[in-house]
Amino acid sequence: MSRWSAVSPLPPPGRLRTLALATLANTVGSGLWITGSALYLTRVVGLSAAQVGLALTVAGLVGLTASVPLGRLADRHDPRTVRAVVQVLQAGVAASYLLVDSFPVLVAVAIADALLVSGNLAVRAALVAAVGGPEGRVHAFATLRAVANLGIAVGAGLAGIALAVDTPTAYRLLVVGDAATYLVSAALILRLPAYRAGRPAGDAPRRAVRRPLRDGPFLAVSAASAVVSLHRVVLTLVVPLWVVDATDAPPVTVSAVLLVNTVLTVLLAVRLSRGARDAGSAARTMRRAGLTLAVAMPLWAATAGLPAGAAVALLLVTTVGYTLGDLWHGTAGAALAYDLADPAAVGAYQGVDGLLAGLARAAGPAVLTWALLGLGPPGWLALGAVLAATGLAAPALVRYALAHRPAAAVAGSAP
């Protein structure tokens, strides 16, 4: 094994590598857009920050409605082709940001964008399940997460050039680059073979397919995972504000915190995925994630009363622990969403799982900024208690879901 292959998140040559390269191209574009979109829409288009925020919030909520229908579409048709088509459409929508010249046009474009992004997540999950198979889908998910973090980091770095140039042309090139990466990703995806996800092979008898929105045990497990997923809002929104407003740490510490999280995700995502191979082990991993993240919350809060050097040190050390919890949660959530799904409706189940996580992300910013920044340490302690309690409840919820799963479904080991 070469030195590069030992540290590269890219898997060996094969179908997973092809999917990983498609993910890398896609997320480089995401890094370009995430980094430069706010400045493009305010400095070049001329919209206010409040208008941009409102448009993206409305679009995000409307976009959640596409998750289940597109996931169901991937169950009924080749998920490879469905995803390639969606990404071509995303290229067109991404390029249409060049036509935005008013708030109503931004709302329309942002809604189209959010519908495709939300639906593409469910389609991607179905394609990952087809490529990885029952035994390798969690490993594939973790691999793609590591690659995605690498791609976003590369895209953000490239976008920094445009931000340094700070001209309308430079920002428009970011939009063009984002659109182009969708086309590259779609072309790579079409190099994969066709799949028929969720359909019984050979002469296997047909049976009634469960509907995820009527599968109470699955909804309970997925809702618990969505509650734990609130920690992502803490890292990306609350911690940066906390560092600047409540601690003596220099503002550049925010970049250091996010860099530590990104680097560790690239290096550890695949390795930490090995402990969640079925519903039982995933439930235990979810419990570990909830407890680890619960410990991180009060440690971040404690940085408010420390000198600058000590605050920086504790912020970075806590970020290491937080990232372990983050990776355990991502792996466990994916394993549970796959293992508890009806094998004939993987895409639809992933769509519902994404819908619940999306609702948590939509509510998270308002609730957590009020609780953590407004209440201070008591709010951080309360969030830690919620994360711990949810993690501790996960094994019992999964046992309940397994006990109420039809015998025809693939069984997982009890937690």
Side-chain angles (χ1 to χ4, degrees), residues 5-384:
S5 63
V7 298
S8 171
L10 290 176
R15 294 176 182 179
L16 183 54
R17 170 170 281 195
T18 299
L19 188 55
L21 290 173
T23 299
L24 183 64
N26 194 175
T27 52
V28 166
S30 298
L32 292 173
W33 180 243
I34 290 170
T35 305
S37 59
L39 292 175
Y40 167 73
L41 293 171
T42 53
R43 295 193 180 190
V44 178
V45 178
L47 299 172
S48 69
Q51 287 176 313
V52 173
L54 178 60
L56 296 182
T57 298
V58 170
L61 291 173
V62 174
L64 293 175
T65 61
S67 184
V68 178
L70 278 177
R72 189 176 293 120
L73 187 67
D75 290 328
R76 297 175 178 175
H77 303 279
D78 173 19
R80 176 209 62 167
T81 302
V82 173
R83 190 172 187 208
V85 169
V86 169
Q87 296 218 286
V88 170
L89 294 175
Q90 285 182 291
V93 171
S96 66
Y97 276 103
L98 294 171
L99 305 178
V100 172
D101 58 2
S102 66
F103 177 70
V105 176
L106 173 61
V107 171
V109 173
I111 287 176
D113 190 14
L115 287 168
L116 291 171
V117 168
S118 178
N120 194 24
L121 292 175
V123 175
R124 182 192 67 174
L127 181 57
V128 169
V131 170
E135 299 300 322
R137 56 198 179 188
V138 174
H139 168 76
F141 171 86
T143 298
L144 297 181
R145 182 174 183 186
V147 170
N149 273 264
L150 177 61
I152 290 173
V154 171
L158 294 174
I161 300 173
L163 270 60
V165 175
D166 196 26
T167 64
T169 299
Y171 288 117
R172 291 190 180 100
L173 286 174
L174 291 182
V175 179
V176 173
D178 181 31
T181 60
Y182 282 116
L183 296 177
V184 173
S185 181
L188 288 166
I189 287 170
L190 288 175
R191 294 175 59 185
L192 294 168
Y195 293 97
R196 290 292 182 268
R199 298 189 178 183
D203 297 326
R206 292 185 176 273
R207 58 176 177 79
V209 177
R210 286 180 289 153
R211 296 185 178 183
L213 288 173
R214 297 182 181 180
D215 190 339
F218 175 84
L219 290 175
V221 174
S222 186
S225 179
V227 169
V228 178
S229 74
L230 288 171
H231 70 82
R232 292 171 186 157
V233 178
V234 176
L235 177 72
T236 58
L237 176 64
V238 179
V239 167
L241 295 173
W242 181 262
V243 169
V244 173
D245 296 337
T247 77
D248 291 328
V252 72
T253 307
V254 173
S255 296
V257 165
L258 297 177
L259 181 62
V260 167
N261 175 257
T262 298
V263 171
L264 289 179
T265 298
V266 172
L267 295 177
L268 299 179
V270 175
R271 182 174 301 178
L272 294 184
S273 72
R274 296 168 185 164
R277 293 304 188 187
D278 54 31
S281 58
R284 294 187 291 273
T285 302
M286 182 69 75
R287 177 175 59 198
R288 186 186 311 127
L291 294 175
T292 303
L293 293 166
V295 171
M297 299 303 122
L299 290 178
W300 266 331
T303 59
L306 298 177
V312 170
L314 184 56
L315 283 165
L316 296 180
V317 169
T318 303
T319 300
V320 173
Y322 163 87
T323 303
L324 296 178
D326 175 24
L327 293 174
W328 281 324
H329 169 251
T331 294
L336 291 171
Y338 281 132
D339 208 57
L340 298 179
D342 188 314
V346 172
Y349 271 78
Q350 306 314 303
V352 169
D353 186 65
L355 172 64
L356 294 177
L359 290 172
R361 287 194 302 271
V367 173
L368 293 180
T369 51
W370 168 78
L372 304 184
L373 300 179
L375 300 179
W380 289 92
L381 288 171
L383 176 60

